[in-house]
Structure formats: C-alpha cells, structure tokens
Amino acid sequence: MSLVRDLADQIIQAHKGDELCIPLPQFSMSSPPPRIDNEAATDHYELAGALAAIEMGFIESDAKVLGKAWSRMTLHDGGFNPFKWPSRPEQFDLLPWMRNMNPNAFKECPKRLGLYGVMPDADWVKRMVEAELPTVQLRFKSEDRYKIRKQIKESVKAVEGSKTLLFINDFWEEAIDAQAYGVHLGQEDLDTADLEKIRAAGLRLGLSTHGYAELAHADRFCPSYIAMGAVFATNLKKMPTAPQGLGRLYQYAKLMSHYPLVAIGGIDQESIHVVAKSGVGSVAVVRAITQAKDPKAAVKHLQALMQT
C-alpha cells in the first residue's frame, strides 16, 4: 500500500495548483467516506489514481472512473507521469464511434450553441426570440399537465421562423407532441424517459452531467449535446455534487471535445468569458438574463463577453 500512497501523493502534488481540488465533504455514519475496491483494481496505478481523486474531493463514482483512466494512460504511455492528467476518450472507455457510424445517435445540433438562456415560461422565451438569443430552454415548473402543454406549445410557436433553437426541459412527451426542436433531460430521467421515442421523433437530446462518471454514462446514449456543471454554486436547483469549478470544467471540455458542450451553473457576466475559454461551444445562464434591468441588452453584452 505504501507504493500506492506514494503514487497518489505524487498525483496530488502535481495537480494541487490546477483547480481540480475541492474541499472534502463532512463525512458521517449516514454519509460515509468513499471506498476504494482493492480487489477489483487492475494495478497500482488504478488504486493510486482513485485514491488521489478522493483526496482531491472527487465523489466515489468519479474517483473509480479516474482510477481506471490513470491505469490506461500509464499503460499506453509506457510509464507513470504524475504531471499528466487523463484526458483522452479511450482512457475513459468512451465509445469510439463517430456520430455518423452510430445508428442510435440522436439528431445533430450545432457544435456551438452559443449563449443559452434557461427561461421559466413562454413569455420569457418570446422575449429571448426578440433578443435574438441563439438557444433557449423552457424550464417550466408545474404539475398541471394543461399548463405544461400550453407553455410548450406557446414556446414552440414563439421560435417559429426565428434562428432561436428551443429545448424543452423534462417534459419530453409534450415536446414531441408540440414538435419542439429538442429536449433536455437530467441523468435521473434516463431510466424513465422513452429515448427511442424521442429519437424516432427526430428531437435533439441534451443531457446534464456532473462529473466523470456521468459524462461516461451520457456518452453511451450519444446525445446531441452534453451539459456540464454546476460550474459555480447556484441556488436555482439542488445539485447532486459540489460546484465543479473551472479546473474541472476545462478538463471535462478537453475530454468531451467531440460533442457540442454546454457549461452551466452559477455563471454570470463576471465569469462568462473565462468559462467560454474552456472550449465549450455554449454557456447557459439564468439570472444573468432574467434578473437584468434590460434583458435584451444583457443578451448582447453576455454574447460579447463570450467572444472577447
């Protein structure tokens, strides 16, 4: 175990300044610390990579994925180099197919979706069309099926004849009925949504991810785009993981560069430029638009900040 400990320490020391580390959560009887499976590991490098990841604040599922990636990278390179960081698809066992070779791939969307506004209702969608926002998501919260259908139909009508692309959050059946451009689903929706029905209807699919394990899981479905976050802290939605930060976002963007990518979570005019520099083709915002005194002007300003 001393060899594993030494290798893990080398990884941590090599990357402690890369903004990949986040504070460890408080552990308790109901929330125990992550475990490392010594029996299933391929070699010392997998164990060291997983151990280092845990001590850098990665959740258990991400640490397991990273451990395997460190093992594969070391084997491929012919030696251990703690100053590198796994960043190639094959190191994470991502599917090697190109989209046009995968019969189950969802319909394509633009590689760069630009500024992506997440809006609470159809009225806001209409305002974003008038502001010429490239991409908008309707995130309407209700259990009233009539209101949901009405909001989606109004939103689809609002973008007709415009260049604004509309994704519907969660309500994939209503989105199909209204012939929306696409739907956006969370990881928790993958077990219940009829993905074949969404694919057959020709809708684009965006998937939320919150770390390496979910990125690898999302890749299995070959969605139209992948959203990555939360980059920063946000109060708008209860997140399953701590804010990922810029260091991790930059690594995620490098690994998943073959996809259209959307960065999301707590992004505002102060941070949007450095987020856009990560390599993502889209940055999602909520309050930076909805709480602006002049939302239309905010759209223009945010777009300019993405490009400077």
Side-chain angles (χ1 to χ4, degrees):
M1 190 65 181
S2 59
L3 173 59
V4 172
R5 175 76 267 173
D6 178 61
L7 294 172
D9 287 342
Q10 289 184 53
I11 293 171
I12 295 168
Q13 287 300 312
H15 298 283
K16 64 181 181 180
D18 295 348
E19 295 186 70
L20 293 168
C21 302
I22 62 175
L24 288 170
Q26 295 294 315
F27 300 121
S28 64
M29 291 294 289
S30 59
S31 179
R35 297 175 58 191
I36 296 177
D37 188 350
N38 294 352
E39 301 297 325
T42 303
D43 52 34
H44 289 98
Y45 305 109
E46 180 177 341
L47 289 171
L51 178 60
I54 287 172
E55 296 193 10
M56 294 170 77
F58 286 93
I59 61 174
E60 184 174 335
S61 56
D62 289 345
K64 288 179 179 178
V65 171
L66 272 169
K68 292 182 182 302
W70 270 99
S71 175
R72 291 176 180 134
M73 182 175 71
T74 301
L75 178 64
H76 180 268
D77 291 353
F80 175 72
N81 182 352
F83 292 96
K84 295 188 71 174
W85 187 265
S87 61
R88 296 188 58 80
E90 62 269 19
Q91 293 162 354
F92 291 83
D93 199 26
L94 301 183
L95 294 178
W97 304 328
M98 296 294 290
R99 171 172 292 275
N100 58 6
M101 296 171 61
N102 185 350
N104 293 319
F106 281 84
K107 199 167 182 179
E108 282 186 285
C109 67
K111 179 77 169 176
R112 306 189 70 81
L113 287 164
L115 185 63
Y116 188 133
V118 181
M119 298 293 117
D121 56 42
D123 288 338
W124 270 103
V125 172
K126 292 174 188 174
R127 295 175 74 177
M128 292 302 97
V129 172
E130 293 168 2
E132 299 181 340
L133 186 71
T135 309
V136 64
Q137 179 187 134
L138 174 67
R139 185 189 283 172
F140 181 67
K141 297 300 180 182
S142 176
E143 294 183 3
D144 186 322
R145 308 310 291 189
Y146 171 78
K147 288 182 178 179
I148 292 167
R149 288 192 294 270
K150 185 172 184 289
Q151 285 285 320
I152 292 174
K153 286 180 180 178
E154 289 181 3
S155 297
V156 170
K157 185 173 178 59
V159 300
E160 283 181 1
S162 75
K163 294 182 179 179
T164 300
L165 306 179
L166 172 68
F167 288 87
I168 305 300
N169 183 259
D170 288 346
F171 303 116
W172 58 271
E173 291 173 289
E174 292 81 0
I176 291 174
D177 291 341
Q179 297 181 307
Y181 179 80
V183 295
H184 180 93
L185 300 178
Q187 293 271 321
E188 68 279 4
D189 301 313
L190 292 175
D191 293 332
T192 56
D194 190 335
L195 299 182
E196 181 53 44
K197 195 170 182 180
I198 296 170
R199 185 188 297 110
L203 272 67
R204 284 81 177 168
L205 175 66
L207 290 181
S208 293
T209 63
H210 308 91
Y212 281 113
E214 291 189 355
L215 286 170
H217 186 57
D219 180 65
R220 292 288 180 267
F221 301 94
C222 202
S224 307
Y225 76 77
I226 290 178
M228 306 181 300
V231 181
F232 305 113
T234 174
N235 295 323
L236 295 178
K237 185 178 180 182
K238 183 175 175 57
M239 305 306 298
T241 56
Q244 298 295 293
L246 290 172
R248 295 188 184 186
L249 174 66
Y250 274 56
Q251 289 295 340
Y252 299 155
K254 188 186 300 183
L255 173 64
M256 308 304 291
S257 62
H258 49 294
Y259 276 100
L261 299 174
V262 180
I264 189 169
I267 302 165
D268 56 22
Q269 66 176 3
E270 303 300 325
S271 58
I272 194 169
H273 173 66
V274 69
V275 168
K277 294 283 283 185
S278 68
V280 298
S282 179
V283 180
V285 296
V286 184
R287 289 177 295 187
I289 294 176
T290 60
Q291 293 185 5
K293 291 181 179 178
D294 185 342
K296 189 172 183 178
V299 168
K300 300 301 181 189
H301 182 54
L302 290 164
Q303 285 179 304
L305 289 172
M306 285 179 65
Q307 296 168 0
T308 56

